[in-house]
Amino acid sequence: GRFQDNFEFIQWFKKFFDANYGGQEYDALAMRGGEQVGSSKMGARPGAAARPAVTSMPKRAAAPASRPAARAPAGGGARATNGAATNGAAQAQIEDLSNQMMEMKLTVEGLEKE
């Protein structure tokens, strides 16, 4: 495909990943329902009708409430008295700004190549 199509797909995939990844470690064994790799019954395809299909990914914890607050102006609003909450909000804001900066760098690189 064309570079622009590939680039747009990568941008979409990154946004999808950021929206759905909760930071947890991927547990392949749990996703396979406890079945070991290569384990199969004689004459049957692994998982053909042995267990019901997985209908959804495991649900992650609720989205951090500090994410929308990270877009608020740095000097405005009420200050949290809990140091951990302040640190979490600051970390979320740093992550959000880093993501925005990376997206802008990729956009500039893409425009320079055109």
Side-chain angles (χ1 to χ4, degrees):
R2 292 184 9 222
F3 170 78
Q4 187 67 31
D5 293 336
N6 294 338
F7 184 66
E8 288 173 359
F9 172 74
I10 295 298
Q11 286 179 321
W12 172 85
F13 187 80
K14 176 160 184 355
K15 288 179 183 178
F16 177 82
F17 177 83
D18 290 342
N20 293 300
Y21 179 62
Q24 71 277 9
E25 181 100 12
Y26 179 73
D27 186 4
L29 188 61
M31 290 301 292
R32 289 192 304 268
E35 189 172 321
Q36 293 294 326
V37 174
S39 65
S40 65
K41 296 175 178 59
M42 296 297 285
R45 196 177 83 203
R51 63 181 189 273
V54 176
T55 58
S56 67
M57 296 290 292
K59 303 294 182 211
R60 72 174 206 197
S66 63
R67 192 89 172 154
R71 296 191 187 273
R79 298 264 181 209
T81 57
N82 184 352
T86 304
N87 189 23
Q91 187 64 30
Q93 185 176 17
I94 289 170
E95 182 181 336
D96 188 43
L97 292 173
S98 295
N99 289 339
Q100 288 178 13
M101 187 172 67
M102 182 59 74
E103 188 173 325
M104 287 181 191
K105 283 181 181 180
L106 291 173
T107 301
V108 168
E109 286 177 12
L111 291 173
E112 288 175 348
K113 289 181 181 180
E114 287 183 9

